[in-house]
Structures are given as C-alpha cells and as structure tokens.
Amino acid sequence: MKKSIVLVLIISILGFSFYGCTNNDEQPNNTDTDIGEDQSVTEKVELFYGDENNEKMVSEEREITYEKDEDKYQVVVEELIKGPSDESLTANINPDTEVIEITNENADIIIDLSSEFNEFSGSIAEIIGIGSLVNTITQFEGTERVKILIEGEELIGPSGKSRGFMETFPLDPQQETTKEVVLYFGGQNAEYVVPEKRNISVSDDIKQQDYIKYIVEELIKGPSSEDLNATIPPEVEVLSVKVEDSIAYIDFSEEMHTKHWGGAAGEAMTISSIANTLTEIDYIDKVNITVNGEPLAIEHTILEKPVGRNEDMIQK
C-alpha cells in the first residue's frame, strides 16, 4: 500500500514538472515573434519626369523603403527631387528644393516646399515640373488632389492667381491653343508698315514674356506675302523680354546693329513694326527696344525711351 502511494506521488511530481517545462518552452516563442516584427516598408512607386526632349511626362519605377512611422509622401517627394536614374530623362525640379511640410487632408495632400521649387527654365519646364509632382502623389489610392505651397504661400500661376488644388495632369501637358496675331512688315515703298495676320500655336499656360518673345521671333522670320518686306535681320536673336507697367522691354542681339541694312526709312520700318506689332497685345502700351542692354541706335536715331503705337505709319 505504501509503495503504491509513493509511486503515485512520484508520477504526479514528474507530470507536473513536464507540464511546467512545456509551458516555459512555448512562452518565449510568442514573445520573440512580437519583438522581431519588421518596422520598415518597401514598395515600388512611379516617379514622373520630362522625357528626353522635355515635351511630355514619363514615369520611372523606383523602389523606396521607409519606416512605418515615417511620412510616405515626404519620402516619395524627396526621391522625386533627387532626379531620374535614367540620364535620358529630364528633371525640371531644382535639386536644392527642400520639403518643409506635408499635410494630409483626407483625399487632398498639401505640400509646402522651399523657394527653389519655383525656379523653372521656361513655361513648358514649369508645367512638366509641377505635373510631375502632382502625378507622383496622386498615383496613391485615395489621393485625388495636390496643393503646392512655397514657404507657406500658395503657388501662383501665370495668370497671377493661385493654382489651388490640382488633379492628375495629362502625360502630354502641351495642350496648345491656336491664336491669330497681327504682325507688321514693311510695305513696298518703305513708307508704311502693313499688317499681316498669322496663326500661331502656343501653350495654354505660356508666360507673358514667353508669348511676347514668340511673337517677336515670328516677326524676325519675315512676312509670308511676297509683297511685304522684312523689318528685322534674320540673324537677330531675342536676348530677353520682360513686362512692367504695360511696357514691354525687348533686348536684341548685336546683329540688330551689325546686320541691319540701315537708312532712315529702314530704321523707321524696324521701330514701327516692333511697336505696332506688340501694342496689338491688350496689356502692352509701349515698347522699350535695346541691343545688348544699350539703346537701339541703328543709324539715325538713338532710341532712349519707350515708343508707343504709331497709327500714322500703318497703311490704311
């Protein structure tokens, strides 16, 4: 009897010990799973840049990794700013641009950037640069619109108004409008300038100075009609254009002096054709013409002041 009792006790003790050891082995495994959980996320995204000729947007796939407590949008924007891996693509965003803050408002993302973002080489570069940022962000599910701030102030468009919230841009942003312009060329007897209408195609978002430069370059190309005469030597280049207080400031290359055919009549035709052509634009009242930063001085006249429209020089 005593032996049986002792045997039962031994079996009970061994069973309890085995049960305890089993529980001790299982518990650390659960703890290790929680602690070892990976806190970073890796995913593939599309970054948008200009194509080789900077005429339209194309995407480049890139793999990004970020911590779970990081802002994914900021990581993606910073990757975009670094520029494309493919050297044939065009980066339109200044690489010195810094991300100040990104705010998520449901389906809207507000991105505050440093002033370097607003430095573009031209109107098309601006469209593609802004579009590349918007399209990179709106690729993510649930994100519909993007607003860009420059150091806390809303990004301004060529119209002088805020661009506001922007939806996904078309990959080919060069949506152009055909406009009819009036160019003035020399008449047969070099007594009057004669209007010639011409259709030009320009971007819907073109800047004022780029639009004016385009028109002047059309003037430099010369007339379509054989009955009219060119008023600017074809070798001349437009160095710069700006508009202030309804005055267009146009600076030409030295060929305006060195290649010009001269003569009082020829000089008058040149000045009148430029002034009358540009004052066809509703926001231009006068034109200031310079050559390499100095007043126009072809032969007889030193043009030290802006000139306005001269209706008397237009053939009726």
Side-chain angles (χ1 to χ4, degrees):
M1 184 70 175
K2 289 182 178 179
K3 289 182 178 180
S4 298
I5 294 171
V6 171
L7 182 60
V8 170
L9 289 173
I10 292 172
I11 292 172
S12 298
I13 291 169
L14 289 173
F16 179 80
S17 298
F18 178 78
Y19 176 80
C21 290
T22 302
N23 282 348
N24 287 340
D25 288 341
E26 291 177 352
Q27 186 65 30
N29 287 340
N30 293 335
T31 303
D32 289 345
T33 300
D34 294 337
I35 294 174
E37 187 176 355
D38 192 357
Q39 297 297 313
S40 64
V41 177
T42 298
E43 64 178 289
K44 291 180 179 179
V45 298
E46 299 291 332
L47 304 181
F48 289 83
Y49 298 99
D51 68 353
E52 185 175 6
N53 297 316
N54 211 26
E55 295 176 344
K56 61 182 180 179
M57 276 185 287
V58 295
S59 64
E60 177 181 84
E61 187 177 79
R62 189 171 303 178
E63 190 174 85
I64 63 168
T65 300
Y66 55 93
E67 301 301 316
K68 286 188 174 180
D69 59 353
E70 277 190 286
D71 185 337
K72 173 176 69 176
Y73 294 110
Q74 177 155 347
V75 173
V76 172
V77 173
E78 289 174 346
E79 281 295 317
L80 177 69
I81 293 171
K82 289 178 183 178
S85 300
D86 185 345
E87 294 182 356
S88 69
L89 302 184
T90 306
N92 292 287
I93 299 176
N94 188 324
D96 294 328
T97 301
E98 295 182 4
V99 180
I100 298 173
E101 184 180 21
I102 296 182
T103 306
N104 190 335
E105 296 182 352
N106 298 321
D108 295 333
I109 300 295
I110 301 174
I111 305 174
D112 193 3
L113 302 169
S114 63
S115 60
E116 287 81 5
F117 176 82
N118 211 15
E119 299 173 358
F120 298 102
S121 60
S123 59
I124 298 301
E126 181 175 2
I127 295 170
I128 296 179
I130 293 171
S132 68
L133 176 56
V134 172
N135 286 13
T136 295
I137 295 300
T138 55
Q139 73 180 288
F140 297 109
E141 185 176 355
T143 302
E144 297 178 0
R145 303 188 303 172
V146 176
K147 179 187 284 187
I148 301 174
L149 307 181
I150 302 299
E151 299 186 357
E153 300 293 331
E154 291 198 23
L155 182 66
I156 303 299
S159 64
K161 298 180 180 180
S162 166
R163 287 185 178 272
F165 282 103
M166 295 170 281
E167 298 179 346
T168 303
F169 279 48
L171 292 183
D172 186 353
Q174 296 191 69
Q175 298 179 351
E176 296 186 337
T177 298
T178 299
K179 294 187 177 184
E180 184 181 77
V181 297
V182 180
L183 309 176
Y184 288 85
F185 297 100
Q188 287 186 330
N189 298 321
E191 295 179 0
Y192 300 100
V193 290
V194 180
E196 179 180 85
K197 293 181 179 180
R198 185 173 301 180
N199 290 325
I200 63 171
S201 295
V202 294
S203 167
D204 291 339
D205 213 15
I206 192 169
K207 292 181 178 179
Q208 283 185 349
Q209 58 265 35
D210 293 332
Y211 179 62
I212 293 169
K213 182 179 180 181
Y214 193 110
I215 291 175
V216 175
E217 288 174 342
E218 286 294 312
L219 194 60
I220 294 172
K221 290 178 183 178
S224 300
S225 172
E226 294 181 356
D227 294 330
L228 301 179
N229 298 311
T231 58
I232 302 175
E235 298 87 354
V236 172
E237 295 181 6
V238 181
L239 300 182
S240 68
V241 177
K242 70 176 181 178
V243 181
E244 290 183 358
D245 300 325
S246 300
I247 300 175
Y249 292 82
I250 317 293
D251 191 35
F252 293 100
S253 63
E254 63 181 4
E255 286 79 10
M256 180 64 91
H257 287 162
T258 60
K259 298 293 184 178
H260 199 280
W261 37 86
E267 188 176 57
M269 290 293 101
T270 297
I271 296 171
S272 184
S273 71
I274 296 171
N276 285 334
T277 294
L278 293 184
T279 53
E280 286 281 344
I281 303 172
D282 56 10
Y283 52 83
I284 302 298
D285 293 331
K286 293 183 178 181
V287 182
N288 190 80
I289 307 171
T290 56
V291 177
N292 277 336
E294 299 296 327
L296 176 73
I298 295 172
E299 187 173 347
H300 298 85
T301 304
I302 298 177
L303 206 62
E304 296 182 317
K305 295 181 180 180
V307 293
R309 189 174 186 81
N310 189 345
E311 293 285 348
D312 293 335
M313 286 289 295
I314 301 174
Q315 181 171 296
K316 305 304 185 208

